[in-house]
Amino acid sequence: MLRLGQLQIAWSSPDWVISKLILPECRSLSIASWDLERVNANADPKETHRLIRRGYTDVVDADLSKYFDTIPHSDLLKSVARRIVDRHVLWLIKLWLQAPVEERDGDGKRRMSGGKSSTRGTPQGGVASPLLSVIYMNRFLKHWRLTGRGETFRAHVISYADDFVILSCGYAEEALTWTRAVMAKLGLTLNEAKTLVKDARTESFDFLGYSLGPRHYPDSGRRYLGAIPSKKSVQRIKEKVSGVLTPGNKGALPEVRTRLNRLLGGWSAYFSYGSLSSAYQAVDDHVYDRVRSFLCKRHKEPGRGTKRFSRENVYAELGVLRLRRGRQMPPPCALR
């Protein structure tokens, strides 16, 4: 039995305790200064795009090696203790960090990690891991601010958890050298193979699901700095659509349509900025192909079913969400 303030709980799943008790308590307990609003306020593809258009085109496209697995518990708990003053909550977070985790590799073999002897890492997929990762990453961002590196390197850091880029005007290499040294002091390591310095005027980089960099006008071929959903983002939504429309899905058509439309609506709500025509068209084409194939198999329709299940039938009569329908696409010149 565990006591938290006036609450008594039976210890069961560490994740259950964190989700039901710790996170709600964090909203009501005396919390020192949460800097997290400032950490995540600029984690926005729009802001990244605006900065490269303003001339911050020397980019450090950073990648941390096994970030979630290497966060030092002792330093992380110190960071948490600056914000949460309830010792019971701190104790529970410490227990959660040391909870054993069972994983399976590609061959299906069991692998155990964590445990009482563990001194590093917060489980990926754990309910508190995103929050804890942001808290620890704030150490780097705070040091960046306090040492005036933004002015020194004429640069901005855009970050979300362990995903971050440094946008500079001519000092990307110096910013990378400084970042490498600071990360080492924090017990973290840059993935040297994936951390790259790029010139956004001549090559694209992917960040927060977008691909940012040089684009071309379809008619004149003139270049501009644009933002589009990345190829990986488009491929992921296609895979999720295919997952909904598997032959094994025996749900009623209205239920399948609702699930599919919710998936597409959420994706398009996030990817609502930038040059979207080609990405939206690619997703719409895939959705139509998968829906038509799904309906043909369900209704035992011979052939490809393009006559019975035309685009008009799928989008208008059946009510499947069409991303490009009714949306005025912004002209590329608006993104220069």
Side-chain angles (χ1 to χ4, degrees), residues 74-131:
S74 58
D75 291 336
L76 172 60
L77 289 171
K78 289 177 183 177
S79 295
V80 174
R82 295 190 187 103
R83 296 164 172 84
I84 298 178
V85 298
D86 190 298
R87 60 187 178 88
H88 301 291
V89 175
L90 294 172
W91 181 57
L92 280 174
I93 293 176
K94 181 179 180 180
L95 290 178
W96 182 80
L97 287 172
Q98 294 181 329
V101 178
E102 178 183 316
E103 300 174 298
R104 294 186 181 274
D105 59 21
D107 298 327
K109 296 181 180 179
R110 294 173 56 187
R111 181 173 66 88
M112 298 298 296
S113 61
K116 291 183 178 180
S117 61
S118 175
T119 60
R120 288 178 174 270
T122 175
Q124 289 200 52
V127 293
S129 290
L131 176 61

Side-chain angles (χ1 to χ4, degrees), residues 28-85:
S28 59
L29 289 171
S30 299
I31 298 179
S33 59
W34 284 99
D35 290 331
L36 303 183
E37 290 81 2
R38 177 161 42 175
V39 173
N40 288 324
N42 69 346
D44 183 359
K46 295 180 184 179
E47 178 64 15
T48 308
H49 186 216
R50 282 193 287 266
L51 286 169
I52 64 172
R53 287 166 55 204
R54 285 169 50 194
Y56 294 89
T57 54
D58 297 297
V59 180
V60 178
D61 187 5
D63 185 88
L64 287 170
S65 180
K66 299 181 179 179
Y67 175 63
F68 284 87
D69 295 333
T70 56
I71 298 176
H73 290 176
S74 58
D75 291 336
L76 172 60
L77 289 171
K78 289 177 183 177
S79 295
V80 174
R82 295 190 187 103
R83 296 164 172 84
I84 298 178
V85 298

Side-chain angles (χ1 to χ4, degrees), residues 156-266:
H156 294 265
V157 178
I158 309 293
S159 71
Y160 185 79
D162 62 325
D163 197 5
F164 72 99
V165 293
I166 301 174
L167 308 177
S168 173
C169 290
Y171 296 90
E173 291 288 354
E174 292 84 349
L176 174 57
T177 301
W178 183 87
T179 298
R180 186 182 290 114
V182 172
M183 288 301 179
K185 293 180 181 178
L186 293 174
L188 305 173
T189 306
L190 288 175
N191 186 328
E192 298 295 343
K194 295 183 178 180
T195 298
L196 304 171
V197 173
K198 294 186 176 183
D199 183 350
R201 295 169 296 183
T202 59
E203 52 187 333
S204 299
F205 65 98
D206 289 353
F207 183 58
L208 298 179
Y210 276 82
S211 182
L212 302 108
R215 306 289 300 166
H216 296 83
Y217 289 104
D219 297 331
S220 65
R222 190 162 60 92
R223 296 201 312 174
Y224 66 97
L225 293 177
I228 62 171
S230 69
K231 292 181 179 179
K232 287 184 179 180
S233 297
V234 173
Q235 183 60 33
R236 286 194 194 102
I237 188 63
K238 287 182 178 180
E239 291 172 356
K240 289 181 179 180
V241 167
S242 298
V244 172
L245 298 172
T246 57
N249 187 344
K250 305 299 182 182
L253 185 57
E255 296 176 0
V256 176
R257 180 190 60 217
T258 298
R259 183 181 170 192
L260 177 62
N261 285 352
R262 187 182 298 117
L263 176 65
L264 294 170

Side-chain angles (χ1 to χ4, degrees), residues 251-325:
L253 185 57
E255 296 176 0
V256 176
R257 180 190 60 217
T258 298
R259 183 181 170 192
L260 177 62
N261 285 352
R262 187 182 298 117
L263 176 65
L264 294 170
W267 189 85
S268 62
Y270 179 78
F271 292 102
S272 59
Y273 176 81
S275 302
L276 302 170
S277 295
S278 59
Y280 276 18
Q281 186 64 58
V283 174
D284 282 343
D285 289 344
H286 181 78
V287 169
Y288 171 64
D289 287 342
R290 298 311 304 161
V291 170
R292 190 188 69 242
S293 176
F294 177 81
L295 293 174
C296 283
K297 291 179 180 178
R298 173 165 288 197
H299 296 284
K300 297 180 173 57
E301 179 74 13
R304 299 181 62 206
T306 53
K307 185 174 182 180
R308 180 177 178 182
F309 304 115
S310 64
R311 288 182 182 269
E312 291 72 19
N313 177 266
V314 167
Y315 289 118
E317 296 181 28
L318 298 182
V320 174
L321 180 63
R322 191 172 194 167
L323 299 188
R324 295 194 67 187
R325 181 180 179 181

